[in-house]
Amino acid sequence: MTSDRKLYEITDQPLSLDDVASRVTRPDCGAITTFAGVVRGETATNEGVRDTDFLEYEAYTEMAERLMAQIGDEIRQKWPKVAEVSILHRIGRLEIGEPSVVIAVSTPHRGDGCFEACRYAIERLKAIVPIWKQENWSDGQVWIEGPRQPELDLRAPSETTSDS
Amino acid sequence: MATNISYTVKFFASLRQTAGTDTATVTLPEGSTIAALLAALADLHPELELDRRPVYAAVNAAYVTPTYVLQPGDQVAIFPPVSGGSISWRDMR
């Protein structure tokens, strides 16, 4: 494996499942699962379905790559037979149908946790990794914010404080 | 006679766009917490409405809580909740 092919990477270049799968390929692994998150052409909003023109992704790159590597460590704790994990996320302008994130997990055998680990990787990424997307429509734009994670929110009410 | 220390704070996503800049400089007495920094930022950038919205903070590219005590040279960032999906996925094994 060449040194310029990182396992955890934020990039402005197009992503491919073949690329991410090749980063986790090892001679002792007979199983690889992959996941791709792709830009959807429509979004459900309070005002009904809206057609998306394109998405703009932004990341805190240094922190995002560190946290993606942390997710890889968490996966090895939970599924010790996992050999390699790779998570690649694209930033910048993405068109409908293009992958924004690709993930691959390799294990010796398919029963060694590769399916579960791949699911875990995308859910953890969406919960903690500092990446944001801005939906752009023909008549406007909005930053998407995920559900607040109380343990990360500086504004979270502390302990028993009631918020009326 | 506390020494004052300046910190550069990075903004991301909607906070960056609303502030119209990607950084701010905040000067605080030595030993100040992230909570104090956020209060100072709220004064400096009232348009961010930092007291009315969820906000996350990181120091040196790792999440911190409001009680974190700032050290000279700390790289601070504040940002909105990350763009997660709608599925809640708790502690799977």
Side-chain angles (χ1 to χ4, degrees), chain A residues 58 128 133 143-145 149, chain B residues 13 16-17 53 63 83:
Chain A
E58 175 175 333
I128 66 168
K133 66 180 173 188
W143 285 100
I144 307 300
E145 290 185 9
Q149 309 286 324
Chain B
R16 174 183 55 72
Q17 193 169 47
R53 52 169 302 145
Y63 284 111
S83 292

Side-chain angles (χ1 to χ4, degrees), chain A residues 35 40 43-44 119 122-127 133 135 144-149, chain B residues 82-90:
Chain A
F35 172 84
R40 258 195 325 269
T43 305
R119 178 76 192 266
I122 184 61
E123 301 299 344
R124 281 293 275 165
L125 180 140
K126 289 191 168 237
K133 66 180 173 188
E135 300 230 5
I144 307 300
E145 290 185 9
R148 191 173 63 83
Q149 309 286 324
Chain B
V82 303
S83 292
S86 51
I87 302 170
S88 105
W89 188 256
R90 303 230 171 257

Side-chain angles (χ1 to χ4, degrees), chain A residues 60 63 151-156, chain B residues 5-11 15 26-43 50-51 54-79:
Chain A
Y60 179 3
M63 183 173 175
E151 71 277 18
L152 299 181
D153 184 7
L154 301 181
R155 290 293 167 205
Chain B
I5 300 171
S6 291
Y7 302 94
T8 300
V9 183
K10 287 186 189 172
F11 300 136
L15 293 183
V26 179
T27 303
L28 296 167
E30 191 175 16
S32 293
T33 61
I34 282 287
L37 178 137
L38 205 66
L41 268 179
D43 289 342
L50 289 175
D51 51 346
V55 55
Y56 299 177
V59 169
N60 303 330
Y63 284 111
V64 291
T65 61
T67 55
Y68 174 87
V69 177
L70 290 157
Q71 308 294 319
D74 275 351
Q75 303 292 313
V76 184
I78 65 164
F79 43 81

Side-chain angles (χ1 to χ4, degrees), chain A residues 41-162:
Chain A
E42 50 183 51
T43 305
T45 71
N46 293 338
E47 292 85 42
V49 175
R50 301 203 58 157
D51 290 329
T52 301
D53 268 2
F54 63 92
L55 293 187
E56 191 91 30
Y57 282 86
E58 175 175 333
Y60 179 3
T61 298
E62 178 195 356
M63 183 173 175
E65 290 183 344
R66 278 176 60 165
L67 283 176
M68 293 193 301
Q70 177 192 310
I71 291 170
D73 292 342
E74 292 172 8
I75 284 172
R76 279 199 195 72
Q77 297 267 318
K78 287 173 176 285
W79 296 279
K81 291 180 178 170
V82 165
E84 296 282 6
V85 178
S86 182
I87 306 173
L88 315 178
H89 204 297
R90 190 170 161 194
I91 53 172
R93 176 177 169 144
L94 275 76
E95 308 297 330
I96 293 161
E98 289 191 300
S100 54
V101 56
V102 291
I103 298 171
V105 179
S106 61
T107 50
H109 303 281
R110 68 182 181 279
D112 291 339
C114 57
F115 291 97
E116 296 85 349
C118 197
R119 178 76 192 266
Y120 180 86
I122 184 61
E123 301 299 344
R124 281 293 275 165
L125 180 140
K126 289 191 168 237
I128 66 168
V129 178
I131 299 170
W132 304 269
K133 66 180 173 188
Q134 186 186 53
E135 300 230 5
N136 287 261
W137 308 308
S138 55
D139 60 346
Q141 51 170 235
V142 66
W143 285 100
I144 307 300
E145 290 185 9
R148 191 173 63 83
Q149 309 286 324
E151 71 277 18
L152 299 181
D153 184 7
L154 301 181
R155 290 293 167 205
S158 58
E159 290 155 27
T160 55
T161 323
S162 69

